[in-house]
Structure formats: structure tokens, C-alpha cells
Amino acid sequence: MNVIVANEQREALALLDIDVIKSISGEFEAEEIVDMFKNFFFGRMIVDLTAIKDYNDVSNIQKLSLGLDIEKLIFLLPNDEVTSSSSFLTKIISMGIYNFTTNMDGVKYLLDHPNSYKDVAHIQQLNELTDAVSDRVIAGNHIIGIKNITDHAGATTLIYMLKKELELVYGDKVYAIEVNRHDLSYFNMKNVISTSSTALAGELAKVKEAKVVLIDLNDCEDESACGDVLYLVEPSSIKLNKLMRKNRNAFNELKGKRIVLNKSLLTNKDIVDFEYEAKAKVFYNIPPLDERKRNEILTDFLSRIGLIFKEKEEKEDNKILGLFKF
């Protein structure tokens, strides 16, 4: 049996063809809702967000998420500028709230097909990454560091392929910098700089006209010059076992960071198993690629990190994020 907490959407919620054990209507403090239902048995609770006083303050939503079983809650969001923004959605996702929609079709879908983090991760990850990059801009440059975590995970070659892809958008305003090494020079690219850790800041100051700067950080411990860093893991058994023997806390140290599986043959199910065992989230999965050809997957990857933009494709299924209106 289900519970409905309604306010502005009370009429639409009243038309839902579901079993309801209790329904309340009005505007409530989050603590009031928790007190009413913390010892009340129910299957799912549909919460009209406008029923929570000061719902634009996410701390009030957090009180609800902490006081009740978050997996049983479905949030019906108003179609306003604040709650439809990626920053607002990122905040509620970080609380463990994955089931939200702006319409009745979405509510019906979520009752039978609740979301997991995987279904909403791209909203949070894209927003956090582009915010982080924006915070660390030098004269309009997007500065992205790329670093191998497992041995020879392919950072240098990936930078080469990403640079070629980005040049189709930004022309000669894409630079690649390698720190304390000279491997990129073998690709015969223009706008490639080899420098030392101590001289990195000075080199960045010289490329103010660049739109994107990709930095190979394999031999550099200092990541402070970068807007964000992508950490490459080649998920083969031998590479992972070697990494864990060298540093059993490797993935603990990567919590909250952008882990990219590179040269990866893992399936979606394998990635779920990997995330469970590593206790870390995967930002993107890149299969082995031919460096001599254009690769559509890199277009999607660059879109995810906010460096290029492409048209969103219509989803054939009716996943809740297809129903959510951004």
C-alpha cells in the first residue's frame, strides 16, 4: 500500500490508479512528515515536493531522506527553474535520492521500475565535472589532467586521440602538455609542449588563447593546475592485481574522483561488479580504440565532460530520465 503527500499536485495525484493507505495534503515541515510516517508501514511514498516547506532549501529535503527509507520515496518535482536545474538535481542525487520526475507518467513508471544510481549518475557527474572545470579556468581555458592509475593505462595515446577530436571543434586552440617526459612528441602533433613540474604554471600562462589544454600527468604529482583530472584504469586482471599489490588503498584514494576505464572490454554487468568490489564509481568506460581512425565513442566521452556538445538522441525506452524534462 502507498502513501501520498500532496500539495500543488493534489488533483493529479488523486487520479493515480494505485492502492493508497494514507493521503495527506498541504504544506508541512520536513520533520512533521517524518514524525507522521517514521513508524508507519507503507510500500512507497509519493511526495509532491511543494508539500515540503522551503523545498528549494535542499537541507529540508535531506531531513526527509534521513528520517524515512529513501528507497521507498518518489519525488514529484514542480516544473520550475530551480528544481529542474542540474545543480539542484546533483544535490538531491548526492543524498541518495534517485527516484524523481516532473509528471504522472514518471510516477507510474517509478512505482514499478525504481531507479538506481546508475540511472541518474550522468546528471551528477556531468554537472560536477563541468563545475569543477569552470572553477579552474585560465583565460577561458578548460584544463583537464589525465593520469594512469594502472601501469600503461594509455594516458598519452588517449590525449593524442582526444586532441584530434577536439581540433575538429576548436581548431588550433587545443594544446597538449606533458610533464617531465617527451612521449607526446612521437605523435608529430602541433601545439604540444614538454615541460617540468616547476615550469608548468608558466607554460599555461603562455597559452591563454587555448580553448582546451590536456595535461599528461603521469610523472607529475602536483594536479593543482588542472580544472579536473581523469584517472585511467585498464581493468585487466593482471593490471588490477599488480595495482593492488603495490597499493591496497588505491581505490579508496580515488573515491569521489573521475575513474575512466580505458582499453576496457568490460560489459555493463562487469562494470557493476567492478564498482562493487572496488567500492568506487566509474565515470566512463572506453574500449580498445584504433588511434588512426575517428571514434564516435570519444565524441560521447568529450560530451560527457562538457568539452563538446552534441544533440541528445531520443531514447527508445521510457526510462524515467526520458520522461524528465530538463
Side-chain angles (χ1 to χ4, degrees), residues 297-324:
I297 196 164
L298 294 184
T299 305
D300 184 66
F301 176 62
L302 290 168
S303 172
R304 291 285 185 94
I305 61 177
L307 294 181
I308 63 175
F309 300 93
K310 64 174 187 174
E311 292 289 328
K312 288 187 178 180
E313 297 176 359
E314 282 288 330
K315 293 194 175 182
E316 292 182 4
D317 60 3
N318 269 339
K319 290 295 287 181
I320 185 62
L321 294 178
L323 296 169
F324 196 91

Side-chain angles (χ1 to χ4, degrees), residues 133 142-146 212-215 226-230 305 307:
V133 173
H142 294 300
I143 303 173
I144 306 294
I146 300 178
V212 182
V213 181
L214 303 172
I215 303 180
C226 302
D228 208 80
V229 180
L230 306 174
I305 61 177
L307 294 181

Side-chain angles (χ1 to χ4, degrees), residues 91-117:
K91 289 173 184 175
I92 66 172
I93 290 169
S94 69
M95 299 173 192
I97 297 171
Y98 309 146
N99 295 305
F100 50 85
T101 181
T102 58
N103 55 61
M104 292 303 124
D105 287 336
V107 171
K108 293 174 186 175
Y109 182 87
L110 287 172
L111 283 166
D112 296 320
H113 307 88
N115 279 337
S116 66
Y117 176 76

Side-chain angles (χ1 to χ4, degrees), residues 155-161 163 175-179 181-189 191-194 214-216:
T156 304
T157 301
L158 181 61
I159 286 174
Y160 164 68
M161 291 190 288
K163 187 173 185 295
Y175 281 72
I177 299 178
E178 54 186 346
V179 184
R181 58 194 303 154
H182 295 84
D183 291 343
L184 278 171
S185 61
Y186 296 115
F187 286 110
N188 298 317
M189 295 185 291
N191 295 340
V192 171
I193 299 168
S194 297
L214 303 172
I215 303 180
D216 188 333

Side-chain angles (χ1 to χ4, degrees), residues 3 27 76 96 106 112 114 129 131 160 190 245 256 271 276 302:
V3 167
E27 194 176 38
L76 180 58
D112 296 320
L129 183 58
D131 283 351
Y160 164 68
K190 63 180 180 179
R245 288 194 180 187
I271 293 171
Y276 176 78
L302 290 168

Side-chain angles (χ1 to χ4, degrees), residues 139 141 172-175 191 205-212:
N141 295 353
D172 61 0
K173 295 186 182 296
V174 183
Y175 281 72
N191 295 340
K206 294 177 185 177
V207 295
K208 290 182 179 179
E209 76 281 4
K211 292 295 184 183
V212 182

